[in-house]
Amino acid sequence: MHKIYLDHNSTTPVLKEVLDVMLPFYKDNFGNPSSIHSDGRAARVSLDVARDQVAELIGARPSEIVFTSGGSESNNFAILGVALALNSKKRHIVTCEIEHAAILNPLKQLEALDFHVDYLPVDSLGRVDPKKVEDALTESTSLVTIQHANSEIGTLQNIKEIGSLIKNKGILFHTDAVQSVGKVAFNVNDFSVDLLSMSSHKIYGPKGVGALFVKRGTPALFSPVCGGGQEKKRRGGTENVPGIVGFGKACQIALDFINKGKLKQLKIMRDLLRDKIEGLIPNVEFYGCSKNRLPNTLSCGFDGADGETLLIALDMKGISVSTGSACSSGTGMPSKVLSALKLPLSKINSSIRFSLGWANTSEDIDFAVKALAKAVVVSRRNPL
Ligand SMILES: Cc1ncc(COP(=O)(O)O)c(C=O)c1O
């Protein structure tokens, strides 16, 4: 069966060029970067190259990159790292309702330790009002953590304005940029951001590796992984050398892609998908902020149809998408993100999300929309 993968916000395939640079590190170049001998030194040099590549993608200095086991660890590192380093002094954190679980869950842990967290609402397009962030700040605020892009609806937050409102107040600003890195051109120097999370497997790199950008001058964070003195004592444990080397290569390729202006292609393909859906399927609604959104993401609801049923029907045709409804998230709960947009349950349950990748073609879009149109008719005829 011909496979069409339209779920790149969940994960991406590892590019051949990425895998090629990784493989030697499982075999011949297996040295531990902390070893002094030549095998170790070779591994250390490769880590340095990868650090340069990751830093370059976001306009950071290499010394500002701390490698982690992925986006979740980076988020935990930022939140627990700030809160526990400043423990007892400043116990207030500001975030928003539609953050990833790797933000919300460490915050819950902190609440159990008597930290106070404000979860700001979003508007019907999924945007946080920067003014509300400013209004929420108190003398006890240690951290503001607001995502850059939302994985489900693609809405981009105005982190430039949010950062500028926080600046010079003795409060750190973290953004979860796991979904925007590689899909949106940006430079950390254009925002007043102190901490920024990245993940390799969202940009055609291997799973289980990521990074936290820690701006120079940021006070020392509590380390979530204590061990040897790796990562300049910021994150212990022998480095995942093959993974980091692959992540570096993926960042280099993403930057090249951005510099060649290819992000436009993602948007063209996503807009084609939207137009074809609108042309072929009545009563469809699109969610998220159409003006300020990831170029590859389209979240939509099909009144009277069931999202899970659509997902399964598409899967049977070899097409992978995801839903915002109960079962796909594995929690048994409707999507927190779509709920925060104040959509009724019936709409949430009728939604699916497409997230396109660099290899998707207009033929993929054509095939997927035709299959979707048929599935919507069947699902609407047979309500659950
Ligand atoms: C916005 C966001 N943050 C964090 C993560 C977690 O990243 P990882 O899978 O690398 O732990 C994800 C993954 O879906 C995400 O979408």
Side-chain angles (χ1 to χ4, degrees):
M1 183 167 44
H2 178 57
K3 296 278 288 171
I4 298 177
Y5 187 76
L6 301 172
D7 197 18
H8 293 81
N9 288 5
S10 295
T11 196
T12 56
V14 175
L15 292 176
K16 182 181 179 308
E17 300 92 304
V18 169
L19 189 61
D20 285 348
V21 297
M22 291 174 67
L23 287 177
F25 292 90
Y26 287 109
K27 215 166 155 260
D28 301 325
N29 308 347
F30 56 84
N32 183 330
S34 298
S35 300
I36 293 165
H37 50 61
S38 56
D39 292 318
R41 289 200 311 274
R44 164 72 44 208
V45 167
S46 305
L47 281 192
D48 291 344
V49 170
R51 202 181 301 280
D52 289 349
Q53 291 166 325
V54 173
E56 201 181 348
L57 177 59
I58 60 166
R61 297 179 184 90
S63 59
E64 294 174 320
I65 299 297
V66 183
F67 288 118
T68 66
S69 66
S72 298
E73 186 188 316
S74 299
N75 285 344
N76 274 262
F77 190 172
I79 290 169
L80 301 176
V82 172
L84 300 181
L86 302 173
N87 200 357
S88 79
K89 278 189 243 150
K90 291 174 139 199
R91 301 177 79 85
H92 177 235
I93 297 174
V94 178
T95 188
C96 80
E97 281 183 332
I98 61 168
E99 296 288 331
H100 189 268
I103 295 285
L104 297 174
N105 287 332
L107 288 174
K108 261 193 221 146
Q109 287 185 318
L110 288 176
E111 284 180 297
L113 296 174
D114 275 345
F115 281 78
H116 176 64
V117 182
D118 272 322
Y119 299 88
L120 301 179
V122 291
D123 68 11
S124 61
L125 304 180
R127 296 173 303 187
V128 178
D129 179 352
K131 180 81 178 58
K132 288 211 167 102
V133 177
E134 191 181 27
D135 290 347
L137 304 178
T138 71
E139 299 228 313
S140 316
T141 310
S142 54
L143 176 71
V144 172
T145 174
I146 301 286
Q147 64 187 200
H148 190 195
N150 186 269
S151 63
E152 287 184 43
I153 53 175
T155 295
L156 286 157
Q157 301 300 340
N158 190 348
I159 58 170
K160 187 164 190 169
E161 191 176 340
I162 294 172
S164 71
L165 292 171
I166 294 166
K167 208 175 165 179
N168 301 329
K169 291 199 163 91
I171 298 167
L172 293 175
F173 179 36
H174 167 250
T175 189
D176 175 352
V178 163
Q179 288 294 345
S180 60
V181 165
K183 296 176 196 153
V184 177
F186 70 85
N187 184 311
V188 285
N189 299 304
D190 295 339
F191 310 127
S192 297
V193 67
D194 303 292
L195 302 160
L196 178 143
S197 299
M198 309 168 70
S199 175
S200 152
H201 75 103
K202 308 291 186 183
I203 57 164
Y204 302 86
K207 294 171 180 59
V209 56
L212 182 68
F213 158 79
V214 183
K215 190 179 180 156
R216 191 159 74 177
T218 301
L221 303 179
F222 171 85
S223 176
V225 184
C226 301
Q230 290 91 349
E231 296 298 284
K232 298 214 173 91
K233 301 201 176 119
R234 294 175 292 187
R235 196 267 188 189
T238 302
E239 297 87 342
N240 170 7
V241 181
I244 290 172
V245 166
F247 181 27
K249 185 72 185 171
C251 287
Q252 186 194 46
I253 294 170
L255 184 60
D256 188 47
F257 189 86
I258 291 169
N259 286 343
K260 287 186 176 143
K262 290 189 178 170
L263 287 176
K264 262 189 280 170
Q265 275 171 232
L266 271 184
K267 186 176 174 308
I268 289 170
M269 217 48 80
R270 194 270 316 277
D271 291 347
L272 178 72
L273 173 65
R274 184 197 153 112
D275 293 348
K276 288 205 178 249
I277 290 176
E278 263 188 326
L280 223 54
I281 307 174
N283 296 330
V284 55
E285 262 186 61
F286 298 98
Y287 306 127
C289 180
S290 60
K291 282 207 190 111
N292 215 359
R293 181 170 44 160
L294 290 177
N296 75 324
T297 305
L298 190 69
S299 167
C300 35
F302 303 91
D303 227 7
D306 175 62
E308 292 291 335
T309 307
L310 300 179
L311 182 148
I312 292 162
L314 291 176
D315 191 35
M316 284 166 70
K317 297 272 178 204
I319 304 160
S320 302
V321 301
S322 73
T323 79
S325 60
C327 308
S328 66
S329 57
T331 60
M333 299 292 287
S335 151
K336 270 200 172 134
V337 176
L338 298 181
S339 303
L341 306 186
K342 308 271 185 306
L343 293 174
L345 197 56
S346 61
K347 285 196 195 278
I348 295 174
N349 286 342
S350 78
S351 71
I352 57 175
R353 177 197 69 189
F354 296 93
S355 47
L356 275 51
W358 300 345
N360 289 132
T361 61
S362 54
E363 287 79 27
D364 292 347
I365 304 293
D366 236 26
F367 186 83
V369 176
K370 282 182 185 143
L372 175 66
K374 281 189 195 145
V376 169
V377 170
V378 174
S379 177
R380 281 177 173 160
R381 261 199 223 128
N382 302 286
L384 291 181

